Amino acid sequence: MKPHQISNHQVSTIYQPCTIYIYRLIFILVSSLTAQTTAIGQLQNLSLHNYADTARTGLTGSFQHLSYFKNNEYFNTSYPGETLLGAQSMAALTYKKNMHYFTGGVMLVNQYSQPFRFKWYPILSLRYFLNQSHIVTLGVLEGGKSHELPTEIYGGEHMLAYPLEYGVQLQYKKEWGRFETWLDWRQNIVAGDSVQEKFTQGTTAKVFPIHTDHNKVTIQAGLLFYHAGGQVLSVSLPVITLTNWFGKLELRHRFDNDLSLGINYTLSGFKNAPDNPNILWKNGVAHHFQLQSAYDTWSIHGGYYNSKDFVAPHGEYIFALYNFDTNSYRSDSRKLIYSGLGYLSHFDRNFSISAGVDFFYDLQVKKIEYNYTLTGKFQLN
């Protein structure tokens, strides 16, 4: 692997072999320790709660911290292997009246491959409950954790690179289902700028035809639009408009001993606007089949992934066919079988450590790729 500049798609990259081996040793030691503790749940996504839903009436303060280490040993030419290492800290004050919340604060992001180069993000958010079911959010949105998009469309690396979303969000929540639509305004411009304006607009809907203590059936569908353009640029850049869509069916059963088994299938699609010259493909599709099992502290999963001409600007790197940083292609298809193991340990209500490993076998080039992740979260409310 060769050193390169950090791009918008990449959080940080560390290439010194000795450093990587040290981190691997630390990962093994910490995983051994966490395996002896008690917890519930499984490895989740890489983001903080950037909204307040448990704040007491009046003025309250909160602090959250996330440290992450994710090593991608990938060999494809679209997104080669890299190590993501860094931390995010957020301090905020929340004022609650009735069911409404106003939050103000700051997030500090540190990418460890760039020492002493911190990024500060302002946090201003208003969550207004029209009633018990309808919620309007202005400013900092709930973000990737609430969207629940397929990883091939919205992945963990993207959430690390862009920990906050700014815009407007409308949610509808009931016991039988959920609906959400949002606009994330990523980059604004003024006359004479040499960079494009960027925004993402998404809509998802989820229903539970069957939802009992032991059985759950989930049907989900969604759209995600990505746009980069602007009419007041000082340079001539192509307008980019891409669309991802998906439909998902999930069946889950929970036994009396808390063992749960699940199976799901996701059909995802891609559509390119006719005026985008960078991407050759106009339409694409991806099939994703997965089996899951969870018990107490542990979770395991396995699956099959098959895509053809499928592009997703915010998708997980392992599934990528096209690199938006270098405008390069890996191939026109991707066929993988994979398996993974996750573990989550809650030491108390304020501190948790999670670990996970995934192995991917490329059916086309006959190679194994893998990643492993270690995160620590701390919060005070």
Side-chain angles (χ1 to χ4, degrees), residues 96-111:
K96 177 185 177 183
K97 184 176 182 180
N98 298 327
M99 295 189 301
H100 315 308
Y101 302 82
F102 177 79
T103 301
V106 64
M107 173 179 282
L108 171 64
V109 175
N110 182 17
Q111 302 168 6

Side-chain angles (χ1 to χ4, degrees), residues 146 175 195 216 291 375:
S146 71
E175 291 185 0
V195 296
K216 186 176 182 180
L291 296 171
T375 66

Side-chain angles (χ1 to χ4, degrees), residues 85-96:
L85 182 63
Q88 300 170 4
S89 298
M90 187 181 75
L93 292 175
T94 297
Y95 178 76
K96 177 185 177 183

Side-chain angles (χ1 to χ4, degrees), residues 78 196 198 226-229 233 236-242 270-283 309-311 313 321-331:
S78 179
Q196 292 177 309
K198 297 179 181 180
Y226 171 85
H227 177 79
L233 298 177
S236 177
L237 295 173
V239 176
I240 300 174
T241 302
L242 306 176
F270 155 74
K271 182 175 178 57
N272 186 15
D275 56 352
N276 180 13
N278 290 335
I279 300 177
L280 300 177
W281 310 318
K282 299 305 178 184
N283 295 280
D309 299 343
F310 180 77
V311 175
L321 297 177
Y322 177 80
N323 188 320
F324 282 84
D325 300 323
T326 60
N327 294 324
S328 61
Y329 294 86
R330 176 193 175 275
S331 67

Side-chain angles (χ1 to χ4, degrees), residues 113-333:
S113 66
Q114 300 177 342
F116 309 112
R117 294 179 62 181
F118 300 96
K119 293 182 179 180
W120 297 88
Y121 296 94
I123 297 173
L124 290 174
S125 179
L126 172 65
R127 300 186 74 230
Y128 192 89
F129 285 71
L130 301 177
N131 52 44
Q132 293 286 349
S133 303
H134 295 79
I135 309 170
V136 177
T137 303
L138 303 175
V140 174
L141 311 182
E142 288 195 18
K145 298 189 70 169
S146 71
H147 303 331
E148 298 182 352
L149 296 168
T151 56
E152 55 266 34
I153 292 180
Y154 200 99
E157 288 103 346
H158 177 75
M159 287 191 287
L160 288 177
Y162 299 100
L164 296 178
E165 292 181 340
Y166 295 92
V168 59
Q169 184 175 28
L170 174 63
Q171 296 170 292
Y172 178 77
K173 298 181 179 181
K174 286 287 189 179
E175 291 185 0
W176 52 265
R178 297 176 183 177
F179 172 84
E180 175 180 312
T181 185
W182 72 95
L183 175 66
D184 171 27
W185 199 274
R186 181 62 49 81
Q187 184 169 273
N188 196 8
I189 63 174
V190 297
D193 278 350
S194 60
V195 296
Q196 292 177 309
E197 64 181 8
K198 297 179 181 180
F199 66 83
T200 301
Q201 195 281 318
T203 300
T204 61
K206 177 190 294 187
V207 295
F208 312 115
I210 300 175
H211 193 180
T212 66
D213 291 339
H214 293 281
N215 298 294
K216 186 176 182 180
V217 177
T218 304
I219 300 174
Q220 186 180 8
L223 287 168
L224 191 66
F225 299 95
Y226 171 85
H227 177 79
Q231 289 78 37
V232 293
L233 298 177
S234 61
V235 295
S236 177
L237 295 173
V239 176
I240 300 174
T241 302
L242 306 176
T243 304
N244 287 122
W245 56 266
F246 77 94
K248 181 178 181 179
L249 174 64
E250 182 175 19
L251 311 176
R252 183 167 293 276
H253 177 75
R254 181 178 295 277
F255 296 89
D256 291 333
N257 60 357
D258 286 336
L259 171 67
S260 67
L261 299 176
I263 180 173
N264 66 74
Y265 167 74
T266 303
L267 174 65
S268 301
F270 155 74
K271 182 175 178 57
N272 186 15
D275 56 352
N276 180 13
N278 290 335
I279 300 177
L280 300 177
W281 310 318
K282 299 305 178 184
N283 295 280
V285 67
H287 303 269
H288 196 169
F289 175 80
Q290 188 177 66
L291 296 171
Q292 301 171 326
S293 178
Y295 179 73
D296 193 22
T297 62
W298 297 93
S299 65
I300 59 174
H301 58 267
Y304 170 74
Y305 179 81
N306 184 352
S307 68
K308 173 68 173 176
D309 299 343
F310 180 77
V311 175
H314 303 331
E316 196 82 8
Y317 289 175
I318 189 65
F319 302 121
L321 297 177
Y322 177 80
N323 188 320
F324 282 84
D325 300 323
T326 60
N327 294 324
S328 61
Y329 294 86
R330 176 193 175 275
S331 67
D332 63 353
S333 64

